[in-house]
Amino acid sequence: MNLHRSFIGFDGKIKLSASKIDKLKTGRDALRADIKEWFSENSKKQPKFCWQGSFAMKTTVNPISDDYDLDDGVYLQGYSSNENEWPSATSVHNWVKEATDKRTSLDSTDKNTCVRVNYADGYHIDLPIYIMKDDEPYLAHKSNGWVLSDPKAFTDWFIDKVNENDEQLRRLVRYLKAWKEYNNVPLKGIEITILVAENFDGYDNRDDKALFRTIEKILNTLDKNFSCVKPVAPGENLFENISNTKKNTILSSLTNLRKDLSSAIFENNDETATEILQNLFGTRFPKVESSNKSYVVTNSPGVLKHDGRSGR
């Protein structure tokens, strides 16, 4: 059964709506103005800004909890490459928090890696803070001080991956983000983004098969070496300190996803295919329609192999 149109319909439901995108952009611009005003009033050089994360990469998923977000980096200006002359990470967090504290009716959250501005409409904007040193950005981490971190390089890396491949890559990232939230799989969005981009195996006009093939490659990669290395500075392994419990949960969840997705692709009955897919992705996944069938399969159970053919 060709499930491509059903997945495209699902993508339409999990992508942020135009109204939510507008809210995030409006909030971002207002916060930038607040920060600029505070810095001017306190005799500090105007910062620069660069949006980053899933919003910039166009992989944001409208979550079930309706708590969606945007990341906007605040790049402080006027500092030398001598870290000893920099203000403390805690100090710059305080600056940004003070600058934005009155923007909404809810209290902001001062996290280790950013200042989070919360909105009553069910979204938030994260404001990580950076200083450049020899063309490399250092993040103000409240617990660890100034740490090398390059979110713009990561965004550029992902966009290059999309350009090398296809928009299908972005859709697959969104599908897996929605799946992990619905099933409480202990994977972070950045980890899914890296795993999909590094193991992407596209299939023309078939998101269902592309998703299956990519999941299969991810599992093969993780079976050989359970790691998820960030492709830009500082190049850390995001799975380095993961517990065995989380590791086993991730592997078993991906294995079950691969098996159930294969069952749905080889299913002849629309209702059964719909039930399988909604068990995987939730009721936002649309009902499968008979018109999606592109070929007839036998009644004997099949397993979708990497080449897209049935293996028995």
Side-chain angles (χ1 to χ4, degrees), residues 17-29 55 66 68 70 119 121-123 125:
S17 65
S19 62
K20 288 183 176 180
I21 290 173
D22 287 343
K23 284 183 180 181
L24 288 172
K25 288 183 176 179
T26 298
R28 175 201 63 189
D29 293 345
F55 192 88
D66 205 34
Y68 55 102
L70 177 150
Y119 289 77
D121 282 349
Y123 62 94
I125 294 178

Side-chain angles (χ1 to χ4, degrees), residues 52-72:
Q52 59 193 52
S54 59
F55 192 88
M57 293 184 290
K58 300 181 181 179
T59 59
T60 301
V61 169
N62 189 22
I64 299 169
S65 62
D66 205 34
D67 183 19
Y68 55 102
D69 70 296
L70 177 150
D71 293 358
D72 197 29

Side-chain angles (χ1 to χ4, degrees), residues 55-222:
F55 192 88
M57 293 184 290
K58 300 181 181 179
T59 59
T60 301
V61 169
N62 189 22
I64 299 169
S65 62
D66 205 34
D67 183 19
Y68 55 102
D69 70 296
L70 177 150
D71 293 358
D72 197 29
V74 182
Y75 288 76
L76 304 183
Q77 304 297 303
Y79 294 93
S80 71
S81 59
N82 184 355
E83 295 182 41
N84 293 326
E85 298 177 1
W86 295 358
S88 69
T90 299
S91 293
V92 299
H93 272 245
N94 289 338
W95 297 352
V96 172
K97 189 172 188 302
E98 185 176 340
T100 59
D101 233 357
K102 296 180 180 179
R103 169 51 55 185
T104 75
S105 60
L106 301 180
D107 291 335
S108 297
T109 307
D110 195 0
K111 302 171 67 68
N112 268 330
T113 57
C114 68
V115 174
R116 174 169 294 177
V117 181
N118 301 297
Y119 289 77
D121 282 349
Y123 62 94
H124 64 266
I125 294 178
D126 286 338
L127 301 166
I129 309 155
Y130 302 88
I131 287 178
M132 299 297 293
K133 176 184 178 183
D134 300 328
D135 295 325
E136 291 185 315
Y138 282 72
L139 170 70
H141 191 293
K142 284 179 62 180
S143 296
N144 300 331
W146 292 98
V147 296
L148 180 63
S149 179
D150 198 342
K152 184 180 183 302
F154 183 76
T155 300
D156 292 342
W157 169 83
F158 179 75
I159 291 173
D160 285 343
K161 286 286 189 180
V162 173
N163 292 336
E164 289 170 9
N165 295 284
D166 186 80
E167 280 295 322
Q168 190 177 64
L169 172 57
R170 275 199 177 98
R171 295 196 298 271
L172 264 55
V173 171
R174 291 194 290 263
Y175 298 149
L176 282 181
K177 282 186 174 184
W179 164 78
K180 76 100 176 176
E181 184 196 13
Y182 182 71
N183 294 277
N184 294 314
V185 180
L187 279 168
K188 297 177 181 177
I190 188 173
E191 294 164 352
I192 287 176
T193 302
I194 294 170
L195 290 173
V196 172
E198 294 282 24
N199 296 281
F200 177 68
D201 194 349
Y203 196 101
D204 289 346
N205 302 316
R206 290 288 299 268
D207 279 12
D208 53 345
K209 286 192 174 183
L211 182 60
F212 175 88
R213 288 153 60 115
T214 299
I215 293 166
E216 188 170 59
K217 284 189 69 174
I218 290 172
L219 279 167
N220 289 338
T221 299
L222 294 180

Side-chain angles (χ1 to χ4, degrees), residues 1-4 203 205-206 208-209 265 267 289-297:
M1 183 177 293
N2 188 331
L3 303 169
H4 176 72
Y203 196 101
N205 302 316
R206 290 288 299 268
D208 53 345
K209 286 192 174 183
I265 291 172
E267 180 55 57
E289 299 177 357
S290 298
S291 58
N292 284 353
K293 294 178 181 177
S294 62
Y295 54 87
V296 177
V297 296

